[in-house]
Amino acid sequence: MILMLVLLMACSGNKPKEEFAIGKKVVLVIHGGAGNINRDRMTPESDSAYRAALELSLKEGYQILMNGGESCEAIIKAINLMEDNPLFNAGVGAVLTSEGENELDASIMRGSDKNAGAVAGVKTIKNPIDAAYSVMTSSEHVMFSGAGADRFAAEQGLETVDSGYFKTEKRIKSLERVQKLEKEHGTVGAVALDEFGNLCAATSTGGMTNKKWGRIGDSPIIGAGTYADNVTCGVSCTGHGEYFIRSVTAYDVSAMMEYKGYPIAQAADAVIQKTLNLGGTGGLIALDTAGNVAMPFSTTGMFRGYITEDGKVTVKIYGDE
Ligand code: ASP
């Protein structure tokens, strides 16, 4: 089968648009955050470091799927690798609050039964996505926050760390920059389709640099930052969370497919445009049960990639590639 990739870049204002029609099923799609990501701001070294990190996540998640693993297992692996890499705004690379602390958010949703789990504002869980998964599978609830969520994760036997673990030099500097008004994004997310035809979607983040008052964005909110339904698609978002919450962005992609009959690319584009119309920049990844993928964004770039069933990896960063 010939892989047919159609990339449409329709740039109206700051709205790059991507649509894919592919001949091979996409089994895993990931993002490492959307934002002001330009070639001239990236060194060749950081460009290749991001590409290598995305590729590693895709390949490791793919291995799980190819060995008969479930979609949730594959995306957790892919996200764990990004959480453990200080390049991304999740896990060890999480951005800092206005007080120089880390408060991490994560969520996961399974498309087969629409079960979901989330944690918000956690401070000592090394891999917040694991805690979100535990909430889904080992509690009768959907979302835990703050100290209670940290205690729950510890009781579940998940690895905990001293809060100093998350404080990297890079994020201390970016807090200083953002406090002087420069915005930064960088959440991670993944959606996978397994051999059983089941979708799973997840998102993990440090939130937005310089956040305060216990601010929580879209990432841990089911329907806003993460959504999965086998009837439609799985979605993980990244961007200015307040607007993604108000737009109910992730669910809106699914709703457009279910109620309007839109194909995934059209639904994803329409939703990113609606979110942008409110004033919110960012992007999302979406995957349907037929293996079609959409990765639209309204920022200048988004770290993103996917792997198809034949093992072919595609990784992209900027708006013009
Ligand atoms: N959506 C995340 C938040 O608002 C941030 C991001 O994706 O960069 O917390």
Side-chain angles (χ1 to χ4, degrees), residues 89 105 185-187 205 207-208 215 217-219 237-242:
N89 172 21
D105 307 326
H185 300 284
T187 297
T205 189
M208 287 178 81
R215 178 265 185 194
D218 60 310
S219 308
C237 300
T238 173
H240 198 148
E242 280 67 12

Side-chain angles (χ1 to χ4, degrees), residues 83-277:
E83 286 178 331
D84 291 344
N85 187 333
L87 283 177
F88 299 102
N89 172 21
V92 70
V95 297
L96 299 167
T97 66
S98 63
E99 292 176 353
E101 297 298 320
N102 294 99
E103 293 171 358
L104 297 91
D105 307 326
S107 65
I108 186 164
M109 185 167 187
R110 187 161 62 194
S112 54
D113 57 0
K114 294 173 80 173
N115 200 359
V119 291
V122 294
K123 294 183 172 178
T124 59
I125 305 165
K126 179 169 174 273
N127 294 102
I129 200 64
D130 295 356
Y133 183 71
S134 285
V135 175
M136 176 170 88
T137 52
S138 308
S139 87
E140 58 191 20
H141 306 287
V142 170
M143 190 183 215
F144 291 150
S145 70
D150 277 314
R151 277 201 308 278
F152 168 78
E155 275 176 29
Q156 290 295 312
L158 299 182
E159 190 174 349
T160 58
V161 288
D162 182 88
S163 58
Y165 167 80
F166 301 110
K167 292 195 182 80
T168 59
E169 194 54 38
K170 174 177 163 185
R171 297 309 182 188
I172 292 170
K173 289 212 176 92
S174 81
L175 175 62
E176 288 162 6
R177 274 202 312 274
V178 170
Q179 285 179 332
K180 290 181 210 135
L181 273 183
E182 196 178 316
K183 272 193 197 150
E184 282 217 346
H185 300 284
T187 297
V188 306
V191 188
L193 174 65
D194 60 29
E195 68 180 35
F196 315 102
N198 291 325
L199 290 165
C200 196
T203 312
S204 181
T205 189
M208 287 178 81
T209 305
N210 203 29
K211 64 186 182 180
K212 50 179 106 156
W213 315 123
R215 178 265 185 194
I216 292 168
D218 60 310
S219 308
I221 299 178
I222 297 301
T226 303
Y227 195 73
D229 182 350
N230 276 3
V231 171
T232 51
C233 62
V235 181
S236 169
C237 300
T238 173
H240 198 148
E242 280 67 12
Y243 297 94
F244 282 67
I245 294 172
R246 289 165 56 199
S247 300
V248 201
T249 305
Y251 174 70
D252 205 20
V253 179
S254 170
M256 293 250 185
M257 292 177 73
E258 188 170 1
Y259 303 133
K260 283 199 157 190
Y262 280 10
I264 192 161
Q266 194 184 351
D269 276 350
V271 167
I272 283 299
Q273 185 59 52
K274 275 172 74 181
T275 309
L276 182 62
N277 292 346

Side-chain angles (χ1 to χ4, degrees), residues 33-53:
N36 188 15
I37 307 160
N38 296 315
R39 276 204 176 76
D40 54 7
R41 289 185 61 197
M42 292 272 270
T43 61
E45 293 73 33
S46 62
D47 179 291
S48 19
Y50 275 106
R51 285 179 200 276

